[in-house]
Amino acid sequence: MSLQVENLEKNMAKITVEVPSEQFEEAIKTAYNKNKGRFSIPGFRKGKAPLAMIEKMYGSEVFYEEAVNIVLDDTYGDAAEESKLEIVSRPEIDLVQVEKGKPLIYTATVAVKPEVTLGQYKGVEVERATAEVTDEDVEKELKKVQEQNSRLLTVEDRPVEDGDHTIIDFEGFVDGVPFDGGKAEDYSLVIGSHAFIDTFEEQLIGKSIGEECEVNVTFPEEYHAKELSGKQAMFKVTVKEIKVKELPELNDEFAGEVSEFETLDEYKTDLRAKLLETKEKQAATENENRVVEKVVEDASMDIPEPMMEYQIQNMINDYARRMQGQGMSFSDYMKYTGMTADRLKDQARPQAEKTIRTRLVLEAVVKAENIQVTDEKLEEELQKMAGTYKMDISQVKSRMGEQGIKQMREDLAVQEAVDFLVAEAKLV
C-alpha cells in the first residue's frame, strides 16, 4: 500500500491510497467464497460454481462492491495512521480506480484538527463564584426531609380539596368518540400538581368519593399527539379515593428519627455544614467553567464543518441511547415531539461548537505549557477505575486497550490544564 497526502483549505486533507492489485484480487476471492452459495449456475451444484464462471454469467464486477469494502476495512486505518494527520472526522471515500488486474485506488477526504491561536490564558480575570448557605437554604432542605418522611392518610368524610392525593378512573372523548390513551383506572393524581392539561384537576375540587362527573378541557395547540392538538374534550371521571399528606412535626423527636442527632438544632447545624460543602464544590466547578470560558473566548480557530457534523452526530447518538435507557425508542421520541432530524441538529450545534472549542483550547494549553501526565498519575487513575468496577487493574488495561489508555492520558492532561488555568487566574 502506498499513499499521498494533500492538504486542502479549511483544515481539510485528502489521502490518496493505492492498494496492490494482488490485495484487491484476494478481497474478490474472499467476497466470492462468502457469497458463492447465492448463485445458481447451470451445470454446477449451488455454491460450487468457480469464480470465473460466476463472473462470466453476472459480469466481472459482481463482487467488486464487497471486495472494495473489505479493502477499505483492511487499509484505511493503517493509511490514516501513516498519514500522520490528526483526523477529526469520518472519511469521505471516493473510488478512483477499481479494475481487476490493476491497483485499487481510492481517496479519503478528512477534516484535520485545526490550529488554535491562544489569546491571553494566564492570569485571566473573572468574577469569583462564592459559596454561602442561608437560613432559607437550611429550612428548604429541612422541608425536603420532612416531605420524604410524610405519610398519606385516607379521607372519607369530605370532598376533594386542593393538594389532595386522589385515585381516579377516567375516560376521555372528543366529539363523543373515545380516543387512544384517554382511558385509565386507579390513576394516582395530585390535585394542583398540573400533571393534567388545562383545568382538569381544578374541576375535581368539591367532588366526593364515588361521584362520577364530567370534566371539560381543551388540549393545547402544541400537544404531542397531533390529532388532539387544540381539540375540546370531555372526560368522565370517578373519584375512588382521597388521601391527604400528613407531615411530621419538626422537633427534637423528628431529628432523632431521621439523623444521628438528638436535637433539631444539632441536625440543622449538620444540614448547614453539608449544604456548605456541596455549594463549595459547585462554586469551585463554576470558577473552573468561568476561567475556561474566558480563555476559550480569547482564542481563535477555524473548525472544519465535518468535525462539527461528527460531534453533532455523536451528541444525537448519546441522546438516543439515553432515551432507550428510559424505555422510549428514539423514533417514538421524534414522533411524539414532532422533532425533525434537521431541527435536532440545529439545536445541538451550539453545544457541539462549545465542546469542540473548549477541548481544542485546553489541548493547546497542554501543548503550550508542555503538560505531561506521569505514569504514576495514570496508574493511580486506572487503579481508581479498577476499584470502581471491582476489577483487577490488568483487566481494566486489557479492556481499555492501548487506544483507551492513550485517551485517558490525554483527558488527564486536559484536566491538569484546567487546574493550571484556575491557579493562574485572578478571581475577583
Side-chain angles (χ1 to χ4, degrees):
M1 180 184 73
S2 62
L3 59 88
Q4 292 180 336
V5 177
E6 178 186 358
N7 291 316
L8 307 175
E9 294 180 343
K10 297 182 178 179
N11 293 306
M12 300 293 292
K14 181 187 288 185
I15 308 170
T16 301
V17 183
E18 184 173 314
V19 180
S21 59
E22 295 81 8
Q23 189 171 349
F24 184 43
E25 292 280 356
E26 282 299 315
I28 291 175
K29 290 178 184 177
T30 300
Y32 157 72
N33 287 323
K34 182 179 177 182
N35 297 283
K36 60 185 179 181
R38 297 192 294 108
F39 295 90
S40 297
I41 305 294
F44 296 92
R45 282 183 297 151
K46 195 168 186 179
K48 297 299 182 180
L51 173 60
M53 185 60 69
I54 295 176
E55 288 179 334
K56 183 176 180 181
M57 288 285 293
Y58 291 91
S60 60
E61 300 177 357
V62 63
F63 296 115
Y64 277 13
E65 182 176 354
E66 186 155 352
V68 166
N69 288 333
I70 292 170
V71 170
L72 290 175
D73 287 343
D74 289 344
T75 61
Y76 173 71
D78 291 337
E81 187 173 348
E82 189 178 332
S83 73
K84 306 298 183 186
L85 296 172
E86 292 189 86
I87 298 171
V88 291
S89 72
R90 293 186 178 90
E92 183 180 318
I93 302 294
D94 286 311
L95 300 175
V96 177
Q97 179 173 282
V98 185
E99 191 174 338
K100 207 169 185 180
K102 293 184 178 181
L104 173 67
I105 302 174
Y106 68 89
T107 63
T109 303
V110 295
V112 296
K113 183 183 291 186
E115 287 291 327
V116 175
T117 302
L118 290 170
Q120 180 186 2
Y121 67 94
K122 294 180 186 179
V124 296
E125 188 174 301
V126 298
E127 183 179 353
R128 181 191 298 272
T130 57
E132 181 184 358
V133 177
T134 65
D135 291 343
E136 184 182 350
D137 293 330
V138 175
E139 291 301 323
K140 188 182 295 184
E141 188 66 19
L142 194 61
K143 181 70 174 175
K144 190 187 301 181
V145 178
Q146 186 186 30
E147 288 279 351
Q148 291 168 351
N149 287 272
S150 65
R151 59 177 182 164
L152 292 176
L153 301 178
T154 300
V155 175
E156 296 180 343
D157 59 351
R158 66 164 175 78
V160 174
E161 294 180 1
D162 191 24
D164 283 347
H165 292 242
T166 63
I167 302 296
I168 62 172
D169 291 345
F170 64 84
E171 184 174 13
F173 301 82
V174 171
D175 297 328
V177 179
F179 57 87
D180 288 343
K183 183 177 182 179
E185 295 181 353
D186 296 328
Y187 190 92
S188 178
L189 177 64
V190 179
I191 306 302
S193 65
H194 304 293
F196 272 29
I197 62 168
D198 204 9
T199 58
F200 186 102
E201 296 165 27
E202 289 90 328
Q203 293 180 60
L204 295 184
I205 294 175
K207 307 305 179 187
S208 300
I209 294 173
E211 180 180 352
E212 183 180 289
C213 61
E214 291 187 1
V215 172
N216 295 288
V217 296
T218 301
F219 284 97
E221 293 293 339
E222 66 277 9
Y223 196 65
H224 63 79
K226 297 301 180 186
E227 66 275 12
L228 297 176
S229 297
K231 294 289 182 66
Q232 292 184 340
M234 183 274 287
F235 285 85
K236 291 182 179 179
V237 184
T238 301
V239 178
K240 300 176 75 173
E241 291 183 39
I242 302 173
K243 295 183 179 182
V244 63
K245 182 188 292 185
E246 181 182 69
L247 296 174
E249 188 177 348
L250 295 176
N251 52 26
D252 292 344
E253 183 181 351
F254 171 78
E257 289 177 353
V258 300
S259 73
E260 70 272 27
F261 300 100
E262 295 182 358
T263 69
L264 185 61
D265 286 342
E266 288 176 317
Y267 181 45
K268 284 184 177 183
T269 300
D270 182 64
L271 284 179
R272 183 181 294 274
K274 288 177 178 175
L275 285 170
L276 181 60
E277 183 181 356
T278 299
K279 289 201 172 190
E280 284 175 342
K281 289 179 180 177
Q282 292 171 343
T285 300
E286 180 60 25
N287 284 328
E288 281 188 3
N289 291 339
R290 290 179 183 182
V291 170
V292 171
E293 285 172 6
K294 180 64 175 174
V295 173
V296 171
E297 183 183 312
D298 289 344
S300 60
M301 69 206 74
D302 185 9
I303 301 173
E305 183 58 27
M307 184 181 189
M308 187 76 75
E309 290 289 339
Y310 185 65
Q311 179 66 30
I312 289 171
Q313 193 57 54
N314 282 342
M315 291 172 61
I316 291 174
N317 292 343
D318 287 343
Y319 191 65
R321 281 190 288 271
R322 289 199 299 273
M323 285 286 107
Q324 289 172 346
Q326 295 170 11
M328 176 181 285
S329 73
F330 192 57
S331 58
D332 284 345
Y333 163 77
M334 298 286 277
K335 181 176 69 176
Y336 293 145
T337 60
M339 183 63 70
T340 65
D342 286 343
R343 278 177 58 201
L344 194 60
K345 286 182 178 180
D346 287 343
Q347 287 183 7
R349 180 172 283 270
Q351 184 57 47
E353 181 175 359
K354 181 178 180 180
T355 299
I356 292 171
R357 286 177 59 85
T358 300
R359 180 73 184 201
L360 290 176
V361 167
L362 291 174
E363 288 176 352
V365 173
V366 168
K367 185 177 180 180
E369 293 298 320
N370 194 27
I371 294 173
Q372 303 286 335
V373 174
T374 65
D375 292 341
E376 291 77 14
K377 175 65 174 176
L378 181 62
E379 197 74 10
E380 181 185 329
E381 291 300 317
L382 289 168
Q383 194 66 59
K384 286 181 185 176
M385 183 177 289
T388 299
Y389 293 103
K390 295 179 173 56
M391 297 168 61
D392 187 82
I393 192 168
S394 61
Q395 290 178 293
V396 172
K397 289 179 178 179
S398 176
R399 292 198 178 188
M400 291 183 68
E402 288 185 13
Q403 188 58 40
I405 292 174
K406 179 175 178 287
Q407 183 64 54
M408 175 180 273
R409 189 186 288 273
E410 291 174 0
D411 291 344
L412 289 171
V414 163
Q415 183 54 52
E416 287 191 18
V418 173
D419 296 340
F420 169 82
L421 294 174
V422 173
E424 292 284 324
K426 297 175 183 177
L427 303 175
V428 296

